[in-house]
Amino acid sequence: MTTSLKETVGRYGVWSLELRSEDTARRGELAEAAAELEELGYGAVWLGGNTTVDHATPLIEATRRIAVGTSIQSVWQQDAATTAAGYLTAEAARPGRFVLGLGVSHGPLVQGYRRPYTAMVGYLDELDRAGVPADRRVLAALGPKMLELSGDRAAGAIPYLVTPEHTAQAREVLGEEPLLAPEFKVVLESDPARARETARAYLAPYLALPNYTDNFLRLGFTESDVADGGSDHLIDAVFAWGDETRIRERIAAFHEAGADHVALQVVTASPGDTLPRKEWRTLASLLA
C-alpha cells in the first residue's frame, strides 16, 4: 500500500537553508546532519532557498526514511521538463523519499515576473503530462487562489512565514484531506530583547517582499507592524521564543489550527552556513 505524504512527513520537520549547499566539500557534513535528523525523529527536511532535486539527492542517499523536499523550487528557476526528469529519476532510485515543493517566488527577485498564478497552472500542466504525480508535489501557497490550487492540483500547501491564524484560514480553504505544512521560525532564547533582536534581523529582508507583507495585512497586521524590521507584535506572531514550555505551546498552536506538519526553522544570532545541530537536538527533545 502506498504511504500518503502526510504519513511520510509526520508531525514535525526541519526547514533549513544551511542544509542546502553546492559545495561538494561539505557533502559529508550535510549527510551526517541529515542522518542525525532522521534519528532524532523528524519526518522531513525542507531545503530553503531556490532548491532542486540535485540539492535533495545527497541527503536522500545518506538516510533511510526521512522525506527531503524543496521549499521552494521557483517555477521561474528551472523549466518543467527538467524538473519532471529530476523527480522521476529520484523516485526511481528511492521511491517516496523526494517531495517536490514549488512556488512562484517574488516579483522583486525575478526578471520578467508576470501572472504568477497562471505561470504555476501552466507549470503543473506540464508536470502532469510528464508523469509527475500530484500527490508528491506541494505548493508554497499564501493567498486563497494559490491555496485552492494546492488542494486541487497538488498534495497540499507548505506556506512560509505564517501564523496559526493563517493556518486556520488555509485549512478552511483546503478542506480536510490535503497536507498543510506551514514553516515556523524558532529562536531558542528566553530573554525577550535578545530573542526579538535576533528575530528582527532575520525577518527584515522578507519585509521587502510584497507577497509576505500583503499576507500579513490580510491577517490583520498594520502597515506599522511591517515597517522598520517588524513590530514586537509581528515578531512575536511569526517566531517562537522563550522557555521550552512557551515554545512548545507556540508550535502546538499550529497543529490546533489545522496543520498536519510543522516545518521548524531554527534562527540563531549568527546565521550562516553553520548547522544548528545543537538547536535541532534541543527541539527534538522538547517535542518528544
Side-chain angles (χ1 to χ4, degrees):
M1 187 173 71
T2 303
T3 302
S4 72
L5 190 54
K6 284 186 184 182
E7 293 172 308
T8 299
V9 301
R11 286 175 63 81
Y12 304 106
V14 164
W15 193 105
S16 173
L17 281 168
E18 299 88 357
L19 284 168
R20 175 202 184 279
S21 177
E22 296 174 17
D23 181 356
T24 56
R26 298 189 65 216
R27 180 163 292 191
E29 175 194 8
L30 303 184
E32 181 183 304
E36 183 182 17
L37 290 173
E38 182 173 80
E39 291 302 315
L40 288 170
Y42 293 106
V45 170
W46 301 96
L47 298 177
N50 281 338
T51 50
T52 70
V53 67
D54 292 337
H55 298 101
T57 296
L59 304 186
I60 293 172
E61 292 175 344
T63 52
R64 300 187 308 275
R65 60 158 184 82
I66 197 169
V68 183
T70 53
S71 179
I72 61 167
Q73 180 184 315
S74 168
V75 300
W76 313 102
Q77 176 190 13
Q78 183 171 266
D79 64 76
T82 302
T83 295
Y87 170 83
L88 294 170
T89 298
E91 181 65 13
R94 303 257 191 325
R97 297 288 307 287
F98 175 63
V99 184
L100 177 61
L102 297 169
V104 294
S105 189
H106 305 272
L109 304 180
V110 177
Q111 187 174 4
Y113 192 82
R114 65 197 182 282
R115 302 180 69 189
Y117 180 84
T118 300
M120 178 62 81
V121 170
Y123 204 92
L124 295 176
D125 289 342
E126 291 189 59
L127 293 181
D128 286 346
R129 290 192 289 269
V132 177
D135 64 0
R136 301 306 298 182
R137 63 198 191 204
V138 287
L139 306 185
L142 289 177
K145 285 184 66 177
M146 199 66 79
L147 283 165
E148 287 182 12
L149 189 66
S150 69
D152 293 340
R153 300 288 305 277
I158 50 169
Y160 185 83
L161 196 54
V162 292
T163 64
E165 291 74 20
H166 180 274
T167 294
Q169 294 175 16
R171 177 53 73 197
E172 192 167 329
V173 172
L174 285 171
E176 184 177 343
E177 290 304 317
L179 174 73
L180 180 54
E183 175 272 348
F184 188 41
K185 297 172 177 56
V186 178
V187 179
L188 292 171
E189 171 60 66
S190 58
D191 179 79
R194 286 198 297 267
R196 288 174 177 144
E197 180 182 11
T198 296
R200 188 166 283 112
Y202 194 84
L203 181 65
Y206 292 102
L207 297 181
L209 301 173
N211 289 9
Y212 293 128
T213 53
D214 288 349
N215 190 55
F216 289 143
L217 296 176
R218 284 195 298 268
L219 289 168
F221 294 99
T222 66
E223 293 286 355
S224 61
D225 284 320
V226 300
D228 302 320
S231 67
D232 285 354
H233 175 46
L234 180 64
I235 294 294
D236 293 351
V238 297
F239 289 82
W241 59 266
D243 61 24
E244 289 191 357
T245 298
R246 178 173 176 174
I247 290 174
R248 190 184 297 112
E249 289 173 349
R250 294 297 319 286
I251 296 168
F254 280 87
H255 287 294
E256 292 163 4
D260 302 295
H261 172 94
V262 183
L264 298 166
Q265 180 181 180
V266 168
V267 175
T268 67
S270 54
D273 290 337
T274 302
L275 299 173
R277 294 178 66 172
K278 177 182 177 182
E279 289 83 356
W280 289 337
R281 293 170 195 138
T282 299
L283 268 183
S285 175
L286 184 154
L287 297 169

